[in-house]
Structure formats: structure tokens, C-alpha cells
Amino acid sequence: MKKTSTRLADGRELIYYDLRDDSVRDAVDRRPLERTVTTSAVRHDVLLGDSVAIASHRQGRTYHPPADQCPLCPTEGDRLSEIPDSSYDVVVFENRFPSLAGDSGRCEVVCFTSDHNASFKDLTEEQARLVLEAWTDRTAELSHLPSVEQVFCFENRGAEIGVTLGHPHGQIYAYPFTTPRTALMLRSLATHKEATGGENLFDSVLESELAGERIVLQTEHWVAFVPYAAHWPYEVHLYPRRRVPDLLALDEDARTEFPQVYLELLRRFDRIFGEGEPPTPYIAAWHQAPFGALEEFDGVVREDFALHLELFTIRRTSGKLKFLAGSESGMNVFINDVPPERAAERLREVASS
């Protein structure tokens, strides 16, 4: 992998990640852009104990542009985009309309390929490995920012999810706090550790799932399963067999095997609802241990956390979506119409031949 860092016309950082070591990235952003001004701020909810990002400048962000005006495609002639070069392998750049900025964190866009009509599942294993290396590198770099406590790499795919740009891409959020979902996991870790005299809850969950009927696929270094209490109609958790706290700690064997496993999962997701169905909308979310202090979680250290990816869709059956209505949105109590055991069975049925 070759990494080349440059700047866009408005001062934002852009980084090329190339498969070839002899790639030259010296194209200049020719757009007449002014410096990006954001109004992002984080407000603490004293009743719930969580945080909300207020970012009114995002109202003006690009919204479903025509394919020939996609800002994530390479620059071509007089059609100027966010990527100055005429081609690329993987690109990461600071979001022009960030939810978090400055002392409130940072938001980045990750373009998986220059092919506008592709999807992550269409990448080669070599390309998918390059994306993994980009995620890892950005996690390392962002963790050093004084305002950052947790790094979250994720992909939203599909208009039903709320994606406003059709080009295959994901995002990275660098939060100035430990996110509420991670805090819940850390509290459960602490409680289990104390109650069992030191056992790790993630290890116990993985051991239990390996002995059950919800395994979707497993390899020498990775295990994918539908969790016992799945919130979403089709939800898969992907764990490395060796517990590590973040992407940086993955060993070479796990990195080498990841593309094969992950691409297979994504392809199965597109086959869940049968031939002729539109691509399955999904969210793919990496959970990593926070880099901040963990004193409030008694007895828990970073190494207790287990890196894992959660992949899920809001489509519950052909032509029907799972909406977060009263119980989910009002009380955060999910109701799942698809039994996890049946979801796992279906995801095994649609394996590649």
C-alpha cells in the first residue's frame, strides 16, 4: 500500500491509498472553493446521559445528484469533483459537511472504488484488503487527535438507509466521547467480569454462539453469526476468533482472510430476498474500543473489548422495510419480526456455490 496525503482547494485533507507503490498523486484541486465553515457542536442530554451533535450546516449538503455530477467520482476534464485525480483505488478525505468538526471531533469520507456503479461486494479481495488498511490507518491517525475518544468506521448502503450519494463509499466518525452503545457494552463487560471472577463477556458470547444454531459462516480466523437477541430482521456479527480491541491489533492472518469472509457476507445479503430484488440496503458498523479513559467502567481495560463488525438490513421481507416506530424510537425496545434462527438459516441457504 502507498499512502499519499494532499489538500483540497478549501484546505481539507485528502489521502490516496494505492495498490501500486509507483502511483503518482500530484493532481491539484482546481475548484474555486472557500474555506469550509462548520457550526458543529456537541450537546449533552442530562436526562439520558448521551450526546447529540448539532450541525445545521449539513442542511445544504449534496443530495442525490445525477450520476454525471457525482462528487465522489474522479475528476474528468472540466467536470471537477472532490477527488482531483482522474482515477484512484481508495480515497479518504475530510467531509465537506461534517457532523463533527474541530473540538467536536472529525468526519471523513472513504471512497472504496472509482467505479460509480459498483458496490463493496463487487471489489476484488485485493481491493477489499486495501479498504481494511485504510480503515486501520485512519483509526491510528485519528486516535492521536486530542479531541478524539472513539473512532467509528461504517458504511451506509442504499437509499432506504438514507444515503444521498450513490457512489460506493463509507464514512469514519471520530467522536470526542465514548458512544452510548459502546458504553452499554463496557458496563455489561464490567458487570460480567465482576460476577464471574474475571471472565470476559465477549469470549462467553462467542463461545455460546459457536455451540449454537445461528452460525452463518466460520473460517480459521473469523466467525459470523446472527446474535441471540438480534434487533434487526437480518443482522450478522463478525468477530475475529482472537479477541483484539481494535483494527490496529488484527494480526496478518486475520487481515489476509478478512476480504474473503466479508465479501461473501455482503454477497449473501444481496441474495436474501431472491433473484430480481433490488440490492439489499444495509449498515456495516465496526465496533472498536475507545481510546479514552475507562475509569467509570470498573475493572475494564481496553484489551477486554472485542473488535467486531455488525452488518444489518432494515428490509424485513421483499418490498417491506422495518421502521423504528413507537416502541423502538420512543422506548428503545426493539421488536424483531424475523426469528434470529431463521435469519441465520436463510443466510446459510444463500451461500455462494
Side-chain angles (χ1 to χ4, degrees):
M1 178 189 79
K2 181 180 180 182
K3 176 182 175 183
T4 306
S5 179
T6 184
R7 293 281 171 181
L8 297 173
D10 55 7
R12 288 176 294 131
E13 185 178 20
L14 180 143
I15 306 163
Y16 293 97
Y17 293 89
D18 285 297
L19 292 168
R20 292 173 55 96
D21 289 336
D22 59 355
S23 298
V24 177
R25 300 298 184 184
D26 55 7
V28 176
D29 185 3
R30 295 180 279 131
R31 296 173 298 171
L33 298 179
E34 297 181 357
R35 285 271 172 178
T36 299
V37 178
T38 66
T39 56
S40 177
V42 174
R43 297 184 182 182
H44 182 68
D45 187 320
V46 296
L47 287 179
L48 297 179
D50 58 12
S51 299
V52 178
I54 308 296
S56 60
H57 63 277
R58 284 175 54 79
Q59 288 281 33
R61 65 187 185 274
T62 309
Y63 187 80
H64 292 299
D68 62 355
Q69 297 177 32
C70 174
L72 305 185
C73 286
T75 287
E76 183 177 350
D78 293 330
R79 188 184 64 76
L80 309 179
S81 75
E82 289 278 68
I83 296 92
D85 216 320
S86 59
S87 66
Y88 63 85
D89 292 333
V90 173
V91 166
V92 177
F93 60 88
E94 289 183 74
N95 198 323
R96 191 176 178 187
F97 304 96
S99 303
L100 306 165
D103 292 339
S104 297
R106 175 157 156 154
C107 292
E108 298 182 339
V109 177
V110 185
C111 297
F112 303 138
T113 171
S114 59
D115 184 353
H116 180 85
N117 297 313
S119 183
F120 200 118
K121 70 177 178 61
D122 301 318
L123 301 182
T124 66
E125 291 187 14
E126 185 181 34
Q127 290 173 310
R129 170 65 186 261
L130 184 61
V131 175
L132 175 63
E133 297 307 320
W135 284 331
T136 304
D137 181 71
R138 296 315 301 154
T139 297
E141 293 293 326
L142 293 170
S143 71
H144 296 310
L145 297 180
S147 63
V148 172
E149 190 165 310
Q150 186 173 2
V151 178
F152 175 45
C153 306
F154 64 101
E155 179 193 1
N156 300 327
R157 206 271 293 259
E160 301 95 327
I161 295 292
V163 174
T164 57
L165 295 175
H167 196 101
H169 73 288
Q171 300 180 66
I172 302 174
Y173 277 21
Y175 297 102
F177 50 79
T178 296
T179 61
R181 189 173 176 86
T182 301
L184 288 173
M185 295 183 198
L186 292 169
R187 291 190 188 99
S188 296
L189 263 178
T191 300
H192 186 82
K193 192 173 187 178
E194 182 179 7
T196 60
E199 288 184 11
N200 184 278
L201 180 57
F202 285 111
D203 292 350
S204 297
V205 167
L206 188 55
E207 182 181 357
S208 174
E209 292 293 354
L210 281 167
E213 57 181 316
R214 290 179 297 275
I215 295 294
V216 174
L217 65 85
Q218 56 180 312
T219 61
E220 184 178 356
H221 301 287
W222 293 90
V223 178
F225 59 89
V226 178
Y228 170 74
H231 288 56
W232 299 95
Y234 290 91
E235 174 181 340
V236 174
H237 292 192
L238 177 63
Y239 279 68
R241 287 184 184 267
R242 184 178 70 87
R243 172 166 42 89
V244 294
D246 53 36
L247 290 166
L248 283 69
L250 282 176
D251 60 28
E252 181 59 28
D253 288 337
R255 291 181 181 280
T256 298
E257 198 176 66
F258 170 77
Q260 170 194 345
V261 175
Y262 187 48
L263 291 172
E264 171 63 17
L265 281 178
L266 294 181
R267 290 162 186 161
R268 291 191 193 189
F269 256 59
D270 268 0
R271 291 194 290 267
I272 292 173
F273 304 104
E275 296 294 331
E277 287 291 319
T280 301
Y282 65 74
I283 292 174
W286 279 110
H287 291 264
Q288 306 191 79
F291 291 96
L294 300 178
E295 285 85 355
E296 64 180 292
F297 310 103
D298 294 339
V300 172
V301 296
R302 284 195 86 245
E303 288 68 29
D304 289 333
F305 195 87
L307 167 76
H308 62 285
L309 182 138
E310 297 184 7
L311 173 67
F312 60 90
T313 180
I314 62 171
R315 186 179 292 164
R316 56 188 175 87
T317 188
S318 180
K320 297 179 181 178
L321 302 180
K322 163 67 178 175
F323 291 102
L324 299 190
S327 186
E328 292 89 352
S329 295
M331 285 291 146
N332 200 29
V333 178
F334 276 67
I335 301 168
N336 189 353
D337 300 330
V338 180
E341 293 73 22
R342 174 54 190 149
E345 181 182 20
R346 179 58 182 158
L347 285 162
R348 290 192 297 268
E349 289 174 351
V350 296
S352 297
S353 57

